[in-house]
């Protein structure tokens, strides 16, 4: 009870919602307003953008790095060889063409070779000496010298201005000098700039492509969902002809369409049954009302002054009013039971005595219409549950057996222990039985056979639904065994309370 009150307060919104809840609510609202189309497109585009950026930049930086590493390694390898060649050449120099030799070495090794003096001025090749050469090597030479001194080396590889340099101390015609070999990185720098431009172009192209592809993909993905939503809207407007199957693909969407179709069939069944109920109930209401009106008129016009006739007519009015009451009660009962408004009262009682008591209510059928009730009831069987509701079950089952039994007008009512702790209550008739295809339907709300009228016990098509709801709420096993042409047995298995007290 307490829990219910708390739940209601929150649901009513009377209390302030906690901040976090409000935030989640806001987020969900935002999520709802953004379409799957946009999500797919955004994720797709962002992903392709990231991939292109990642590839472009890694390619650019790794290429430059790899080239620089390769250049350094190459200089380390070829530097000493060139150094040896030059030493040999210079030592045996007898007016040979040293400049030409250096140019050849440069060409063969794809580098630039120079011989410098202590200050970094070019001695060879001659054209540089003449002042026609390029660059001032003194700054890089100073840097290399420092490194050689620091590490106590005779040669070193270092990075200069836009180039990699191999510098080695070398004796040139008896005097100190330096071999200066350069390998330019200008080419790779410009290549890498080109690569950057290329990356940008690829980026734009990929973005446009992913925009187009993701738009098409999102449209393809959301199309069946949009269609299903549209069909669901039509269903909500009461169109039960919609078929959810059709344009969907993929296991999940096919399952969704099938579930929606199933829901549609159930809804249309309930709708049909509700319409039938209204037709049936209005018919059942109309008959007693017509009778009441007719007999009341008769009392006014004819029998008012004749006590014997008047009493007979008044009794008909009372009986018809009773029928109306039971009809209204049935409808109310079922709606209460289904809306869970009717709580069960648990008590332990003597079911054997109670069944006899209920059978007595059918005594008038025995006397007036010749019905036979064969009771085989074991004494003193106690069960626990809602006595009034279970009485309704017993009454409805016996009432149905009376309505549907055969020419012999016999109804068998049995109550027996079947195993320790269990008893079986059953009602058997000798009527037409229930065809296999109808047996599941009879427990449904508003289900009614076509021959439901003109019966000794008035029914509404709600009797078995009330029985089912009550028994389900008690958690007991129940069912029907029926053979067409022979009759039906409705049964319920109750737990026995041995000492007659609540367990
Ligand atoms: P009602 O009896 O008022 O039509 P019920 O819910 O009690 O409604 O029963 C639903 C249907 O089940 C009946 O219309 C009838 O077709 C079938 N039915 C119920 N009891 C029996 C029975 N004992 N024998 C044959 N059919 C039955």
């Amino acid at each position: 009870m307490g829990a219910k009150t708390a739940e209601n307060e929150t649901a009513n919104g009377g209390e302030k919602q906690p901040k976090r809840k409000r935030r989640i609510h806001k987020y969900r609202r935002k999520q709802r307003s953004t379409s799957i189309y946009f999500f797919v497109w955004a994720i797709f585009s962002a992903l392709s953008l990231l991939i292109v950026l990642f590839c472009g930049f890694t390619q650019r930086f790794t290429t430059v790095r790899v080239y620089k590493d390769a250049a350094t390694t190459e200089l380390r390898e070829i530097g000493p060889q060139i150094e040896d060649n030059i030493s040999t050449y210079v030592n045996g120099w007898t007016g040979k063409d040293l400049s030409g030799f250096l140019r050849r070495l440069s060409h063969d090794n794809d580098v630039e070779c120079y011989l410098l003096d202590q200050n970094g001025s070019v001695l060879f090749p001659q054209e540089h000496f003449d002042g026609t050469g390029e660059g001032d090597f003194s700054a890089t030479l100073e840097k290399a010298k420092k490194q050689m001194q620091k590490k106590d080396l005779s040669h070193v590889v270092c990075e200069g201005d836009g180039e990699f340099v191999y510098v080695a101390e070398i004796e040139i015609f008896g005097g100190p000098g330096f071999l200066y070999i350069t390998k330019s990185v200008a080419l790779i720098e410009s290549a890498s700039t080109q690569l950057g431009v290329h990356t940008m172009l690829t980026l734009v192209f990929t973005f446009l492509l992913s925009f187009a592809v993701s738009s098409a993909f999102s449209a393809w993905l959301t199309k069946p969902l949009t269609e299903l939503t549209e069909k669901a809207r039509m269903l909500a407007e009461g169109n039960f002809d919609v078929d959810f199957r059709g344009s969907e693909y993929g296991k999940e969407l096919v399952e969704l369409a099938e579930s929606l179709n199933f829901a549609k069939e159930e809804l249309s069944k309930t709708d049909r049954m509700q319409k039938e109920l209204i037709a049936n109930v209005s018919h059942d209401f109309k008959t007693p009302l017509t009778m009441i009106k007719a007999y009341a008129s008769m009392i006014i016009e004819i029998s008012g002054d004749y006590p014997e006739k008047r009493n007979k007519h008044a009794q008909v009015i009372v009986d018809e009013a009773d029928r109306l009451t039971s009809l209204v009660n049935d409808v109310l009962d079922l709606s209460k039971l289904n809306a869970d408004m009717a709580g069960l009262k648990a008590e332990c009682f003597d079911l054997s005595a109670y069944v006899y008591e209920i059978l007595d209510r059918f005594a008038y059928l025995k006397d007036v219409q010749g019905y036979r009730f064969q009771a085989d009831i074991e004494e003193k069987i106690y069960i626990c549950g809602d006595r009034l509701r279970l009485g309704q079950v017993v009454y409805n089952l016996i009432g149905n057996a009376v309505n549907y039994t055969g020419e012999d007008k016999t109804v068998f009512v049995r109550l027996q222990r079947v195993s320790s702790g269990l008893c079986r209550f059953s009602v058997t008739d000798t009527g037409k039985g229930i065809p296999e295809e109808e047996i599941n339907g009879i427990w449904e709300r508003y289900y009614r056979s076509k021959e439901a009228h003109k019966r000794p016990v008035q029914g509404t098509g709600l009797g078995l639904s009330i029985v089912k709801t009550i028994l389900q709420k008690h958690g007991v096993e129940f069912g029907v065994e029926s053979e067409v042409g022979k009759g039906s047995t409705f049964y319920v298995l109750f737990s026995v309370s041995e000492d007659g007290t609540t367990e």
Side-chain angles (χ1 to χ4, degrees):
M1 195 62 192
K4 240 183 190 167
T5 318
E7 223 176 72
N8 287 345
E9 271 175 13
T10 330
N12 290 342
E15 301 287 307
K16 260 194 162 185
Q17 282 183 29
K19 256 187 184 172
R20 194 169 162 269
K21 257 193 180 170
R22 278 207 304 270
R23 265 208 308 275
I24 292 173
H25 190 63
K26 224 168 133 189
Y27 171 70
R28 290 213 174 119
R29 232 183 16 225
K30 206 169 151 196
Q31 259 194 335
R32 264 204 297 273
S33 60
T34 317
S35 74
I36 291 183
Y37 183 97
F38 176 76
F39 273 128
V40 172
W41 173 82
I43 291 170
F44 211 96
S45 303
L47 201 70
S48 49
L49 208 74
L50 275 176
I51 292 172
V52 174
L53 277 176
F54 179 75
C55 292
F57 286 107
T58 47
Q59 192 184 11
R60 182 157 186 245
F61 292 114
T62 50
T63 312
V64 173
R65 187 72 261 150
V66 165
Y67 181 82
K68 285 183 176 177
D69 284 351
T72 322
T73 315
E74 192 184 338
L75 281 176
R76 277 206 183 93
E77 274 171 16
I78 61 170
Q81 289 167 19
I82 292 174
E83 194 182 331
D84 281 353
N85 285 344
I86 290 173
S87 297
T88 318
Y89 193 84
V90 169
N91 287 340
W93 193 66
T94 48
K96 289 182 202 166
D97 179 13
L98 183 53
S99 294
F101 183 64
L102 281 173
R103 278 197 298 276
R104 212 169 47 250
L105 278 176
S106 299
H107 177 264
D108 291 351
N109 293 290
D110 194 21
V111 290
E112 292 293 331
C113 301
Y114 303 96
L115 291 178
L116 310 179
D117 65 9
Q118 289 278 57
N119 303 319
S121 301
V122 180
L123 298 175
F124 293 96
Q126 289 277 309
E127 56 270 30
H128 292 274
F129 179 68
D130 295 343
T132 54
E134 51 195 76
D136 175 11
F137 303 126
S138 53
T140 312
L141 183 66
E142 276 314 305
K143 190 174 160 189
K145 275 183 187 167
K146 272 186 195 148
Q147 280 190 23
M148 283 193 289
Q149 259 171 18
K150 199 169 156 193
K151 294 177 189 166
D152 196 20
L153 295 168
S154 61
H155 66 255
V156 75
V157 174
C158 63
E159 194 172 351
D161 186 16
E163 60 188 9
F164 278 94
V165 193
Y166 176 90
V167 179
E169 282 180 274
I170 191 169
E171 201 176 284
I172 306 167
F173 308 130
F178 291 97
L179 168 64
Y180 192 94
I181 308 171
T182 72
K183 191 163 178 73
S184 171
V185 289
L187 209 67
I188 189 63
E189 294 271 312
S190 88
S192 113
T193 310
Q194 288 283 326
L195 212 62
V197 174
H198 188 247
T199 305
M200 282 312 290
L201 286 175
T202 318
L203 197 79
V204 172
F205 176 74
T206 315
F207 190 72
L208 289 176
L209 189 74
S210 76
F211 179 84
V213 172
S214 59
S215 295
F217 179 64
S218 313
W220 175 75
L221 196 72
T222 50
K223 189 171 165 256
L225 287 174
T226 317
E227 280 181 18
L228 287 177
T229 312
E230 186 49 38
K231 286 177 182 172
R233 199 168 291 135
M234 283 159 73
L235 177 65
E237 282 162 8
N239 180 355
F240 294 110
D241 293 330
V242 287
D243 188 356
F244 286 92
R245 282 165 302 206
S247 56
E248 74 288 346
Y249 46 79
K251 190 168 151 264
E252 293 82 359
L253 284 175
V254 171
E255 274 172 13
L256 176 65
E258 270 165 14
S259 306
L260 284 169
N261 253 6
F262 179 69
K264 177 204 76 179
E265 271 151 30
E266 290 298 299
L267 274 175
S268 92
K269 208 155 72 183
T270 310
D271 183 70
R272 203 178 54 247
M273 284 175 169
Q274 246 159 349
K275 283 182 185 144
E276 275 170 20
L277 171 82
I278 291 168
N280 290 341
V281 168
S282 15
H283 179 275
D284 285 347
F285 272 129
K286 235 165 93 186
T287 318
L289 281 174
T290 317
M291 298 271 278
I292 289 170
K293 195 180 166 201
Y295 277 83
S297 302
M298 274 162 74
I299 292 174
I300 294 168
E301 287 163 16
I302 308 166
S303 57
D305 297 331
Y306 307 98
E308 202 183 318
K309 268 191 179 174
R310 186 190 58 212
N311 288 350
K312 229 169 139 186
H313 292 167
Q315 188 55 50
V316 175
I317 293 176
V318 170
D319 289 347
E320 291 305 317
D322 282 347
R323 284 170 70 175
L324 268 181
T325 311
S326 66
L327 184 63
V328 170
N329 282 345
D330 260 12
V331 176
L332 281 178
D333 260 358
L334 191 66
S335 57
K336 266 201 225 160
L337 277 167
N338 283 318
D340 233 3
M341 278 157 63
L344 296 181
K345 290 183 201 111
E347 60 179 308
C348 293
F349 58 93
D350 184 347
L351 181 63
S352 316
Y354 197 33
V355 173
Y356 276 125
E357 202 181 307
I358 293 166
L359 266 175
D360 274 350
R361 292 192 220 157
F362 292 90
Y364 70 98
L365 289 173
K366 224 166 22 180
D367 307 336
V368 182
Q369 299 190 24
Y371 278 87
R372 286 192 310 135
F373 293 95
Q374 302 244 332
D376 181 4
I377 295 168
E378 200 176 315
E379 297 293 314
K380 301 264 177 240
I381 292 185
Y382 284 85
I383 64 161
C384 297
D386 190 316
R387 186 171 182 272
L388 268 182
R389 295 278 175 214
L390 292 175
Q392 223 175 334
V393 169
V394 172
Y395 183 86
N396 284 358
L397 292 183
I398 298 176
N400 275 352
V402 169
N403 281 335
Y404 299 104
T405 198
E407 293 293 307
D408 61 359
K409 292 189 172 181
T410 309
V411 171
F412 299 88
V413 180
R414 298 188 180 92
L415 176 62
Q416 245 110 40
R417 284 169 206 272
V418 282
S419 64
S420 69
L422 272 189
C423 69
R424 187 180 198 260
F425 167 74
S426 67
V427 181
T428 305
D429 61 68
T430 57
K432 278 191 189 169
I434 308 161
E436 185 78 36
E437 65 276 10
E438 281 188 25
I439 218 144
N440 288 327
I442 59 167
W443 301 97
E444 303 267 351
R445 240 181 305 176
Y446 318 132
Y447 181 90
R448 248 184 138 191
S449 81
K450 289 169 196 87
E451 308 155 24
H453 301 293
K454 285 167 67 185
R455 299 169 305 179
V457 178
Q458 203 65 25
T460 54
L462 299 174
L464 284 184
S465 182
I466 293 176
V467 166
K468 176 177 136 184
T469 314
I470 294 173
L471 293 178
Q472 276 178 343
K473 279 180 189 286
H474 279 83
V476 296
E477 195 187 321
F478 61 96
V480 57
E481 290 153 359
S482 189
E483 206 175 318
V484 176
K486 286 204 167 161
S488 317
T489 297
F490 285 79
Y491 66 88
V492 188
L493 291 172
F494 290 108
S495 297
V496 176
S497 164
E498 290 302 343
D499 54 0
T501 55
T502 316
E503 283 139 84

